Amino acid sequence: MNEHAKLNAYAAVVEQATLKLERLLPGPAERVWSYLTDSELRRQWLASGPMDLTIDGPMELVWRNDELTDPPGARPEGFGEEHRMQSRVTEIDPLRKLAFAWGPGEVSFTLEPKGEDVLLTVIHKRISDRANMVKIGAGWHAHLDILKARLEEADPKPFWDVWSSLRNEYETMIPA
């Protein structure tokens, strides 16, 4: 079995209020890094917005999840067409690690070359409660699936349909 087959696509609760996800992505690391840091590439799988790539550098994430896939799927009740978050970069090691504040929490991306591929590890710390862990786990999972599809030059599945299905799965997986 190859390393890609061993990776679990689902988020794991690795400590209290912390989720970890991994994806083996087509490299090289420079390409994956650009999808994390370049607003136009990032908007294709997560959220657009300016990012000052310095410690304490300001950044903004602008989610327009209806624009991630065509078709977008059925947007669940309670979600708007756009969501914005102001943040700041907390750690940067180009081509290796990027971290930023997420409200009272933090999200980090670590890149590790694996031959021609890159292992991307996402850790989301200090998630406020179980309900948010369920939504955030499903969200990162769906967004990372789109990133993988973009890097593979494949068509991703409808974002909202995937997210809704994953939310139901995470509801049964995340401990009470």
Side-chain angles (χ1 to χ4, degrees), residues 56-94:
D56 279 334
M59 61 177 279
E60 179 181 40
L61 294 175
V62 182
W63 284 269
R64 293 183 187 102
N65 291 331
D66 290 353
E67 298 175 5
L68 294 176
T69 59
D70 186 17
R75 183 177 351 121
E77 191 174 315
F79 287 88
E81 290 182 26
E82 180 179 288
H83 176 72
R84 291 174 176 261
M85 181 178 80
Q86 302 298 317
S87 188
R88 62 182 172 73
V89 173
T90 58
E91 188 174 348
I92 186 159
D93 183 2

Side-chain angles (χ1 to χ4, degrees), residues 9-69:
Y10 289 90
V13 178
V14 293
E15 59 186 58
Q16 185 176 359
T18 300
L19 292 174
K20 175 182 177 181
L21 295 96
E22 296 179 315
R23 290 292 184 283
L24 193 62
L25 304 170
E30 292 84 359
R31 182 171 176 231
V32 176
W33 183 257
S34 67
Y35 273 83
L36 299 177
T37 59
D38 180 273
S39 176
E40 283 305 305
L41 292 174
R42 191 176 351 97
R43 87 168 175 76
Q44 294 178 29
W45 70 277
L46 180 66
S48 63
M51 179 183 290
D52 180 344
L53 294 175
T54 60
I55 298 295
D56 279 334
M59 61 177 279
E60 179 181 40
L61 294 175
V62 182
W63 284 269
R64 293 183 187 102
N65 291 331
D66 290 353
E67 298 175 5
L68 294 176
T69 59

Side-chain angles (χ1 to χ4, degrees), residues 3 20-38 45 51 53 91-100 107-123 144 147 151:
E3 183 172 359
K20 175 182 177 181
L21 295 96
E22 296 179 315
R23 290 292 184 283
L24 193 62
L25 304 170
E30 292 84 359
R31 182 171 176 231
V32 176
W33 183 257
S34 67
Y35 273 83
L36 299 177
T37 59
D38 180 273
W45 70 277
M51 179 183 290
L53 294 175
E91 188 174 348
I92 186 159
D93 183 2
L95 305 180
R96 292 183 190 86
K97 187 169 186 179
L98 172 66
F100 53 85
V107 171
S108 67
F109 299 94
T110 305
L111 282 67
E112 181 183 347
K114 297 283 186 181
E116 293 182 8
D117 295 325
V118 176
L119 177 63
L120 173 66
T121 302
V122 179
I123 298 179
L144 291 174
L147 173 60
L151 289 166

Side-chain angles (χ1 to χ4, degrees), residues 10 138 141-142 145 161-171:
Y10 289 90
H141 189 138
D145 284 354
D161 295 347
V162 170
W163 182 87
S164 293
S165 176
L166 287 167
R167 189 182 88 207
N168 292 337
E169 292 181 50
Y170 278 95
E171 186 63 49

